[in-house]
Amino acid sequence: MKNIKTNWICFFLLSLLSYQSVSAQIPTLFTVNTNESKAKVSSSMWGVFFEDINMGADGGIYAEMIKNRSFEFYEPLMGWKTEGKSIKEGDFLILNRKESNTNNPRYLRVELRDAQEGNVGITNEGFRGMGIKDNMRYDFSILYKQQTGNLKMHLELLNSKGEVIGAAEIKPQLTDGNWHKQAVSFKSTATELKGKLRIWFEGNGQIDLDMISLFPEDTWMKRPGGMRADMIQLLADMKPGFIRFPGGCIVEGFDLATRYQWKKTVGPVEERQLIINRWNSEFNHRQTPDYFQTFGLGFFEYFQLAEDIGAEALPILNCGMACQFNSAEVVSLDDLDEYVQDALDLIEFANGDVTTKWGKVRSDMGHPKPFNLKKLGVGNENWGPQYVERLKVFNKVLKAKYPEIALIFSSGAAPSGEKFDLLNKELRAMNADIIDEHYYRSPEWFLENASRYDSYERKGPKIFAGEYAAQSDKTGSPNNKNNWKTALAEASFLTGLERNADVVIMASYAPLFAHVEGWQWTPDMIWVDNLQAYGTPNYQVQKLYATNKGTDVVSVVSENQIVAGKDGYYASATIDKATNEVIIKITNYSATAREVAFKVDGVKKLATKGFNTYLSSDDLNNMNSIENPQNVSPNRKELTSKINTVKTILSPYSFNVIKFKMS
Ligand code: AHR
């Protein structure tokens, strides 16, 4: 009792103190001038960057639950365990038919002699286990070939104790020696984070197996063989203006042989040739030997996803150079044609009518209507004169045939320095449409560079802030955290992008996804395990920007100066001509609550009631997690205005989005 009383007295005194410290201040005045549109905010301003890193595609948004479904990993049985009392040498064989099927050469042959339960089986471990949901339907399918035999396959979903939590059987129908597909669906009886699939065989004969596949029913838009709905929903909730894909360094490859080749990712899934994922062995601290790209998700699916969630599709293609942090292999200029042709064909794939070669491929995959591609990137984090030489060829050919497609060229891996300066000069001399800048820097860098674009050249190429993330430790370090400090620094920096929307036309945080047990790179915007996904504080910042975009930039000043760091304030403002709203974004990067006033000029009448949607945390180390996904998440409070002025108190370390209707 005594304790409770003491606590109350402390609370009262603390409240009084903090009230006095706020009320003693003269509110800082910010003036917003809604009369003059300083720039249009591009409709695709805030987007997302997707790369198959951290198990982003396989084991991530691609909802396939079987790892190494077609036995093409270096170790053909990686992810699988063969088991049973009566197995003899050669009963399980990996066969290779490279000559007749280059794209999908391997398959598994199983020999059965009066097999019964427990005699002969294979178990797949999934991607760090399989996320199984109670009462969910699971769709199993398989390609098989048999000459003779009378056999059955028993399918069992197992929980982490090895107990059966869902079962079905499948009896291959045809014994004509040709490949056939057969499928069966069944329900699970429990939820499990780390499930497995066991297949045990019954009967006699020989059977060849390939493309052993298991998908949950609840994929995004319920598409068979589709994407994980909870992960995609987090993207859709952001209403991103664009999706950049497929990367990232994935575009470049460790060497040219492992570059991303979009043509190998379209058409029937079983004909898409798997390659090693370049993040498989990139970091000694996070080796991921079981990381491959099956391309079950390919360019068609990425275009379709963009369309689904109302985002522009933004593909980036290889420019004839492999990753310069790795092999740095370049294709000789004499052999560049194939790469340029890939770019030309991609535009045809996306936009060509169904009578064209690649338009027909799109149409045959179920999308006769064009995807309306508007922008295309050539090269990711490439640099040096070799890049410029190759870009010139792409630029000439692509502009001649498709002048309406805006081309995006990279300014390298860093936002300053010799490499950046060279490219910045050369790309401007080429009159590039859009330059892709990347910044993986400290939170302090983000704060100090909030006015980077205020002094940028207004004419010439536009800027795509194509990859950025504040690093709490250092780039590439496994100790980087998605904490509130990094997110607030990014929020502060982004006011500078928004203020300069005449120069910066697109921005995306990177990387996008990471599996809590399968990541190589941190920080990342969205983290997942096999059953759940959550947005980091950095995600919440991006989402607030993307969902409170506005149509026109207007000025917000304090003492006639832009608000870019003085006293820990960073601000930008837009108006939305469609909804007649003024939207003020402001961070209070300080440990104290502070009283501020916004005088909104240029309106007849500001609505008397508006809202502040804000993110705040006294502790800059605060993070979200699977256990506490909403730890740092938006709050909303009502604000009032008098004589077109809004007074409020900004919480310590807060990012605020203040919205009022105007008339
Ligand atoms: O986002 C992770 C990596 O960072 C990207 O693949 C690359 O473009 C950058 O270096």
Side-chain angles (χ1 to χ4, degrees), residues 29-32 597-609 640-647 660:
L29 180 68
F30 298 92
T31 308
V32 181
F598 299 96
K599 185 164 154 302
V600 181
D601 289 344
V603 285
K604 261 202 247 132
K605 174 120 189 60
L606 200 63
T608 48
K609 220 170 74 179
T640 53
S641 82
K642 269 191 200 145
I643 334 175
N644 294 351
T645 299
V646 181
K647 270 194 191 169
F660 272 78

Side-chain angles (χ1 to χ4, degrees), residues 293-314:
Q293 297 184 81
T294 62
F295 299 117
L297 289 185
F299 261 41
F300 178 85
E301 288 77 18
Y302 292 134
F303 273 107
Q304 192 178 45
L305 171 64
E307 185 176 81
D308 286 349
I309 63 176
E312 247 183 51
L314 191 58

Side-chain angles (χ1 to χ4, degrees), residues 371-385:
F371 280 122
N372 194 18
L373 176 72
K374 293 183 183 140
K375 301 185 184 90
L376 174 66
V378 182
N380 170 71
E381 291 194 351
N382 294 110
W383 64 75

Side-chain angles (χ1 to χ4, degrees), residues 485-500:
K485 180 174 177 178
T486 58
L488 188 59
E490 287 152 10
S492 306
F493 176 78
L494 297 185
T495 58
L497 303 197
E498 185 169 87
R499 185 171 52 249
N500 291 288

Side-chain angles (χ1 to χ4, degrees), residues 21 26 49 70 74 78 102 120 132 143 214 227 231 242 260 282 370 445 459 471 544 594:
S21 68
I26 303 172
F49 160 96
S70 66
Y74 282 157
M78 191 178 242
T102 344
V120 188
I132 297 166
L143 291 181
L214 186 71
M227 302 193 192
M231 292 173 74
F242 63 87
Y260 198 103
E282 181 74 16
W445 183 94
K459 293 196 217 92
Q471 313 285 298
L544 279 180
R594 298 198 291 183

